[in-house]
Amino acid sequence: MEEVNKLAQTNATNMDGEAVYEERDPESNSLHQPLLKRNRTLSSSPLAIVGAKVSHIESLDYEINENDLFKHDWRSRSKVQVLQYIFLKWTLAFLVGLLTGLIATFINVAVENIAGYKLLAVIKYIEKERYLMGFAYFAGANFLLTMVAAILCVCFAPTAAGPGIPEIKAYLNGVDTPNMFGATTLIVKIIGSIGAVAAGLDLGKEGPLVHIGSCIASLLGQGGPDNYRLKWHWLRYFNNDRDRRDLITCGASSGVCAAFRSPVGGVLFALEEVATWWRSALLWRTFFSTAVVVVVLRAFIEICKSGNCGLFGKGGLIMFDVSNVSVRYHAIDIIPVAVIGVIGGILGSLYNCLLHKILRIYNLINEKGKFHKLLLSLSVSIFTSVCMYGLPFLAKCRPCDPSLPDSSCPTTGRAGNFKQFNCPKGYYNDLATLLLTTNDDAVRNIFSINTPREYEILSLVIFFTLYCILGLITFGIAVPSGLFLPIILMGSAYGRMLGIAMGPYTKIDQGLYAVLGAASLMAGSMRMTVSLCVIFLELTNNLLLLPITMLVLLIAKTVGDCFNPSIYEIILELKGLPFLDAHPEPWMRNITAGELADVKPAVVSLSGIEKVGRIVEVLKNTTHNGFPVVDEGVIPPMGSPNGATELHGLVLRAHLILVLKKKWFLQERRRTEEWEVREKFTSIDLAERWGKIEEVLVTKDEMEMYVDLHPLTNTTPYTVVESISVAKAMVLFRQVGLRHMLILPKYQAAGVFPVVGILTRQDLRAHNILSAFPHLEKSTGGKKGH
């Protein structure tokens, strides 16, 4: 205890102690080592800015904890109980799909009606040539809607801002992203999405729908919000990190399906983009969830077609149906298709680079406080309104095509390809068609087929430039926002421009060029291929587009990868989330796990039967979340009669805190019987996290008592020999979804401690290793292999 007191004094007197502490790995802090940073020590920052809120980041326990309680529970389960557990898994998957579908329908109907009535009122002012009043109404409505969304995000749920997909990706990778899946976040996300999209901001509801689906899944799995959980016994079986991970994967798939009405695309999106760990049983459940979503959406679309949903008719769900269009292309058409792919890759990587810089600037603004966050959001709203309303006045009025029916050109309503805006009868404004409408209608208008003369090049250039600017400045403000729709609109604009330029030389429709442009920019920015291809096929409902879509996506992704990572990886890095990439760096093969252990502080271990005082001391003076349990003097079946040192397993911090809270102490140093453990604990208790050591009160007399850690210890932790390369260890760590990996000595003999060290997520991150071994980066050339 004397050394611990010295440590406390060092903390109190050292002005730099706190800053140094924040730079260290939370699971690598030595028990008796001063917090002064030494040279060549593996260190990292355990802090992340999630929703502009600094949080300590931990890993999740995806590994099965095979202790005595788990083994007994596994052996004692009857067939009926196993069937009940499987049935509940499928029931929860069904409920995830059902609720996601219902909420997506509600959001779509709300957005179409709010935005629709707003636009109808604006058009009435324009028809009367009261342009200033029209602008005042348009900008005022958008301002109020943005204010509602921003206030909710800033004051009640900061984590509801943004798309939420990077945080979901990190969670499924094993990072405990704080406050991401709560009830408050879900409610703010729903209302905020409606407000932000209806306000005409350059953002979509697709990303937020993925987050909404994941929130629903998480809340169902844990029985509701923290304060109002259902206490049903069987539901508690799902309150662990492994089952929660599976449910959130179903929720993410359902969200993509709800955004695009693409069930297979939703499953593939989860597999390709967000999920780190996958298996066939999970594939079936995610597909079942997305199938339920599609059924719900289809049912409500049929209801709404009869006029029971206000202004919601064909709009609200992006659908570009070209099933009746014969897609004809020849070998010569490969050239413009390849050009679209190259442009998409270059523009996508450029978009990622510029967005990265703007998000850094926004981060500095957001750090100044809530008022600055709100001011930034409202400033973007006013700028957007000015551009959307004012720019159509720059476009020339174009005469309607005489071959079109009178009812379709021009239109004064909310929908339609030929908006009259400020033009005389018989003329339409092509730029108003794209700007003064909802985002979903803008997509349908620019994707429209058999309209070769609808848009002028100048209008498309203005539209493309505007959406590039708005796409960059809108993402990052304190409202729920998705990246899909802005990228689709930007890509479709340059796709359509190329279609006009290639008109005399190609048989491909301009609308199809717009689709290919949107696909190429999404692949160039997000680096998705398979899932994106299927999403666009399900959107277009035409298999003839498959070959050229595949070609565009492959070229765009390849070109984009030459410049920078995907937009989601960039956001993960900006938020400080310790995401482990699938591919280790080449130089990681030049360093072993044993060398990493050498530059870490010495491992802190516990005895199989440990004193309560020692456990309290360890928990209070380290931030480790796992401790090796070592028994000394064990007589092996064959070998030295003097006894050996045995590695019994690994015990988690949460389980030690649970023992202290339940006062499971022994008067003398002895092993407990199996029935004694089952009297006090259940395997379900061990799945939950039990607060902090500061919340536990232990008396002086209890400090002298003992705890038998054997029944709570995971006897089968994942281990590697110290000679394994870091590259191989990282692949194993990521694929199995570990939190701790024990490093064992290569040579085992009397007097050799059975554990060399512990590897955690922070230890395997490239920049943390390079901080201790800077020479490694120069040891081999080349980039990561894909």
Side-chain angles (χ1 to χ4, degrees):
M1 290 301 288
E2 193 175 314
E3 287 182 50
V4 176
N5 290 335
K6 285 180 185 176
L7 174 65
Q9 288 171 11
T10 306
N11 288 343
T13 56
N14 179 21
M15 294 297 287
D16 298 322
E18 189 177 9
V20 173
Y21 174 73
E22 286 189 356
E23 289 177 3
R24 299 183 64 82
D25 185 352
E27 297 184 3
S28 306
N29 188 21
S30 171
L31 177 58
H32 298 305
Q33 186 180 1
L35 295 175
L36 294 172
K37 192 174 178 182
R38 61 175 181 167
N39 292 330
R40 248 190 75 154
T41 301
L42 195 64
S43 63
S44 62
S45 172
L47 303 175
I49 300 170
V50 182
K53 208 172 184 180
V54 178
S55 309
H56 283 269
I57 294 293
E58 291 187 4
S59 294
L60 295 162
D61 294 303
Y62 287 154
E63 182 185 353
I64 293 176
N65 205 315
E66 291 189 349
N67 50 38
D68 292 351
L69 282 169
F70 172 82
K71 289 172 184 173
H72 175 266
D73 181 62
W74 190 258
R75 289 193 301 266
S76 60
R77 281 192 187 184
S78 65
K79 283 186 178 179
V80 174
Q81 288 176 314
V82 172
L83 287 172
Q84 202 172 358
Y85 178 63
I86 293 169
F87 173 74
L88 277 170
K89 274 187 172 182
W90 285 90
T91 303
L92 287 174
F94 170 79
L95 289 173
V96 167
L98 178 67
L99 292 174
T100 305
L102 290 172
I103 289 173
T105 306
F106 169 70
I107 290 173
N108 281 309
V109 171
V111 166
E112 290 291 305
N113 278 285
I114 294 169
Y117 283 114
K118 175 191 73 179
L119 290 168
L120 286 174
V122 171
I123 287 163
K124 283 181 181 175
Y125 283 116
I126 291 169
E127 285 175 349
K128 296 173 183 174
E129 297 187 1
R130 298 176 65 189
Y131 299 120
L132 284 176
M133 276 301 296
F135 171 71
Y137 186 92
F138 183 69
N142 290 344
F143 186 87
L144 288 173
L145 289 166
T146 306
M147 185 185 282
V148 170
I151 287 174
L152 286 173
C153 285
V154 169
C155 299
F156 298 100
T159 50
I165 294 175
E167 290 88 345
I168 295 164
K169 191 173 177 176
Y171 183 91
L172 297 178
N173 189 255
V175 181
D176 187 10
T177 46
N179 308 317
M180 279 307 297
F181 304 110
T184 310
T185 304
L186 174 63
I187 294 164
V188 170
K189 200 84 178 185
I190 294 169
I191 300 169
S193 295
I194 293 169
V197 178
L201 294 172
D202 184 22
L203 45 82
K205 52 188 178 288
E206 295 75 28
L209 275 172
V210 177
H211 192 184
I212 286 166
S214 301
C215 286
I216 292 167
S218 177
L219 289 168
L220 283 173
Q222 66 185 28
D226 291 336
N227 301 332
Y228 304 99
R229 284 191 186 181
L230 294 175
K231 300 296 183 183
W232 187 34
H233 175 73
W234 271 98
L235 201 57
R236 292 183 67 199
Y237 276 106
F238 294 93
N239 194 19
N240 63 76
D241 291 339
R242 286 175 63 83
D243 284 317
R244 199 173 173 212
R245 170 184 64 185
D246 289 357
L247 272 172
I248 286 173
T249 307
C250 290
S253 302
S254 301
V256 174
C257 176
F260 297 107
R261 278 196 292 169
S262 172
V264 181
V267 174
L268 290 174
F269 175 83
L271 172 61
E272 182 182 10
E273 189 58 31
V274 293
T276 297
W277 192 82
W278 198 263
R279 67 185 192 283
S280 57
L282 184 58
L283 177 74
W284 278 105
R285 281 210 302 282
T286 52
F287 185 63
F288 175 61
S289 291
T290 56
V292 173
V293 174
V294 167
V295 171
V296 172
L297 291 178
R298 181 62 65 182
F300 274 99
I301 286 170
E302 292 301 318
I303 293 168
C304 289
K305 276 183 180 176
S306 59
N308 296 324
C309 304
L311 295 177
F312 184 91
K314 294 180 182 177
L317 290 164
I318 297 172
M319 192 65 180
F320 172 48
D321 191 350
V322 291
S323 52
N324 299 323
V325 177
S326 58
V327 182
R328 292 178 297 169
Y329 43 86
H330 305 288
I332 194 69
D333 292 326
I334 298 297
I335 297 169
V337 166
V339 169
I340 287 178
V342 172
I343 293 171
I346 294 170
L347 288 179
S349 56
L350 181 62
Y351 178 78
N352 290 1
C353 178
L354 293 173
L355 192 61
H356 185 202
K357 295 182 186 302
I358 286 169
L359 288 176
R360 282 188 176 279
I361 296 166
Y362 278 11
N363 193 33
L364 296 173
I365 296 170
N366 291 337
E367 282 176 357
K368 292 182 178 179
K370 293 180 179 180
F371 178 74
H372 288 83
K373 284 186 189 179
L374 196 58
L375 195 63
L376 179 63
S377 303
L378 296 176
S379 301
V380 170
S381 173
I382 292 168
F383 178 75
T384 304
S385 298
V386 169
C387 293
M388 293 286 190
Y389 189 86
L391 287 177
F393 287 99
L394 299 178
K396 292 178 182 177
C397 292
R398 293 166 61 86
C400 291
D401 189 339
S403 62
L404 293 170
D406 293 339
S407 59
S408 64
C409 182
T411 56
T412 53
R414 177 181 66 92
N417 272 57
F418 305 94
K419 284 208 169 176
Q420 188 171 351
F421 192 59
N422 61 334
C423 297
K425 195 172 181 183
Y427 289 78
Y428 71 96
N429 187 314
D430 60 344
L431 197 51
T433 298
L434 297 174
L435 295 181
L436 214 65
T437 184
T438 60
N439 286 341
D440 286 2
D441 279 332
V443 172
R444 264 183 295 277
N445 293 342
I446 202 165
F447 278 3
S448 58
I449 52 173
N450 300 323
T451 52
R453 299 182 196 87
E454 182 178 350
Y455 300 104
E456 279 190 350
I457 286 282
L458 179 62
S459 297
L460 289 172
V461 168
I462 293 171
F463 176 78
F464 174 69
T465 308
L466 173 64
Y467 267 85
C468 284
I469 295 167
L470 292 180
L472 289 169
I473 66 170
T474 306
F475 188 81
I477 63 173
V479 296
S481 56
L483 276 168
F484 283 93
L485 206 82
I487 291 175
I488 286 174
L489 286 167
M490 280 186 279
S492 58
Y494 75 72
R496 187 118 196 168
M497 283 189 275
L498 191 63
I500 293 171
M502 292 298 298
Y505 312 104
T506 183
K507 299 284 185 184
I508 303 177
D509 190 276
Q510 287 177 20
L512 301 183
Y513 270 108
V515 174
L516 295 175
S520 72
L521 192 60
M522 286 183 79
S525 177
M526 298 178 178
R527 311 294 153 78
M528 296 187 296
T529 50
V530 181
S531 56
L532 207 54
C533 186
V534 173
I535 285 170
F536 271 90
L537 283 180
E538 289 180 294
L539 279 177
T540 57
N541 205 16
N542 196 327
L543 272 173
L544 294 172
L545 279 173
L546 180 61
I548 52 176
T549 307
M550 288 171 67
L551 182 64
V552 160
L553 292 173
L554 287 170
I555 293 172
K557 185 191 184 305
T558 306
V559 172
D561 282 336
C562 296
F563 295 101
N564 52 27
S566 76
I567 189 64
Y568 292 134
E569 288 177 41
I570 288 170
I571 295 168
L572 281 168
E573 184 193 340
L574 282 172
K575 285 183 174 287
L577 296 170
F579 183 85
L580 281 185
D581 196 64
H583 307 284
E585 300 282 354
W587 50 259
M588 286 184 177
R589 302 202 178 276
N590 299 339
I591 182 172
T592 64
E595 288 175 292
L596 274 191
D598 287 343
V599 297
K600 286 189 68 175
V603 67
V604 177
S605 63
L606 298 170
S607 299
I609 300 170
E610 189 59 89
K611 237 183 175 183
V612 174
R614 163 72 177 165
I615 293 173
V616 171
E617 179 190 347
V618 165
L619 291 177
K620 281 188 175 178
N621 295 286
T622 71
T623 51
H624 304 327
N625 285 295
F627 303 91
V629 175
V630 177
D631 286 327
E632 293 183 358
V634 178
I635 300 174
M638 295 176 65
S640 170
N642 298 328
T645 308
E646 176 195 56
L647 172 64
H648 187 73
L650 186 81
V651 67
L652 296 177
R653 170 180 283 267
H655 298 169
L656 294 174
I657 291 173
L658 176 63
V659 165
L660 297 176
K661 277 194 172 182
K662 292 207 172 189
K663 308 284 184 183
W664 192 57
F665 304 146
L666 304 169
Q667 295 289 346
E668 68 277 359
R669 195 183 186 94
R670 67 173 179 88
R671 293 283 291 260
T672 52
E673 299 293 331
E674 194 174 322
W675 62 268
E676 291 181 88
V677 188
R678 295 204 307 273
E679 258 187 0
K680 201 78 175 176
F681 305 104
T682 66
S683 60
I684 298 169
D685 290 334
L686 301 187
E688 298 184 10
R689 298 195 177 184
W690 292 91
K692 299 178 181 178
I693 183 62
E694 289 78 16
E695 299 166 5
V696 181
L697 294 175
V698 182
T699 64
K700 193 174 180 181
D701 292 338
E702 288 170 339
M703 288 282 199
E704 300 301 317
M705 298 172 80
Y706 295 91
V707 174
D708 180 14
L709 297 178
H710 294 100
L712 305 176
T713 301
N714 178 11
T715 54
T716 57
Y718 281 88
T719 59
V720 292
V721 182
E722 61 181 331
S723 56
I724 192 174
S725 73
V726 170
K728 202 170 181 179
M730 188 192 123
V731 170
L732 174 64
F733 192 97
R734 184 185 188 274
Q735 287 183 345
V736 182
L738 300 181
R739 186 176 188 180
H740 304 98
M741 181 186 280
L742 298 184
I743 308 172
L744 305 186
K746 190 175 182 182
Y747 303 103
Q748 297 180 358
V752 177
F753 197 70
V755 183
V756 173
I758 297 180
L759 286 180
T760 64
R761 171 177 299 274
Q762 297 281 5
D763 301 331
L764 294 169
R765 299 194 71 208
H767 73 267
N768 294 343
I769 299 172
L770 289 175
S771 66
F773 301 93
H775 65 279
L776 283 173
E777 197 167 18
K778 300 171 187 174
S779 62
T780 182
K783 293 187 177 181
K784 289 184 286 189
H786 287 271

